[in-house]
C-alpha cells in the first residue's frame, strides 16, 4: 500500500484517485490527526460482500468445500431449474 501525506494528496487528488481505481490498490493518507485509507468503491463493495458472506453461519466452510469440487461434477443451471434468460 502506498502512503501519501495529506498535503501531497491535496495537490494531486485527481491522479491519486485515478491510480487507486486503476490499480485497485488502497492508498494510506497520513495527517497529524491520524491516518485514513482510500480505496475504490468497487473494492469497498467487494470487501462488504465478503464480510456479509462470511458472517452467514457455515458459509465459509461451504465455500471452502465447494472449491474442492471439480467443475465437471457441478450441476448446471438447467439441472437445478434456474432459467436466467
Amino acid at each position: 500500500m502506498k502512503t501519501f501525506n495529506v498535503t501531497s494528496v491535496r495537490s494531486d487528488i485527481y491522479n491519486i484517485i485515478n491510480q487507486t481505481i486503476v490499480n485497485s490498490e488502497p492508498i494510506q493518507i497520513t495527517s497529524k490527526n491520524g491516518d485514513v485509507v482510500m480505496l475504490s468503491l468497487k473494492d469497498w463493495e467487494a470487501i462488504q460482500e465478503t464480510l456479509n458472506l462470511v458472517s452467514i453461519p457455515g458459509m465459509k466452510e461451504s465455500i471452502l468445500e465447494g472449491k474442492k469440487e471439480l467443475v465437471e461434477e457441478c450441476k448446471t443451471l438447467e439441472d437445478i431449474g434456474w432459467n436466467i434468460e
Side-chain angles (χ1 to χ4, degrees), residues 1-4 6 9 26-31 33-39:
M1 174 167 34
K2 293 181 180 175
T3 301
F4 297 91
V6 71
V9 170
I27 302 292
Q28 179 180 3
I29 303 170
T30 61
S31 77
N33 294 328
D35 299 353
V36 298
V37 174
M38 178 174 65
L39 59 150

Side-chain angles (χ1 to χ4, degrees), residues 18-68:
N18 193 52
Q19 176 183 8
T20 303
I21 294 167
V22 170
N23 296 333
S24 193
E25 178 185 5
I27 302 292
Q28 179 180 3
I29 303 170
T30 61
S31 77
K32 58 185 165 186
N33 294 328
D35 299 353
V36 298
V37 174
M38 178 174 65
L39 59 150
S40 72
L41 179 60
K42 181 180 173 183
D43 291 337
W44 174 251
E45 289 171 343
I47 290 167
Q48 292 301 303
E49 181 65 20
T50 300
L51 291 172
N52 181 47
L53 288 174
V54 298
S55 72
I56 299 169
M59 181 61 77
K60 179 181 174 185
E61 294 77 13
S62 177
I63 291 170
L64 292 173
E65 281 299 310
K67 284 177 61 176
K68 297 176 187 174

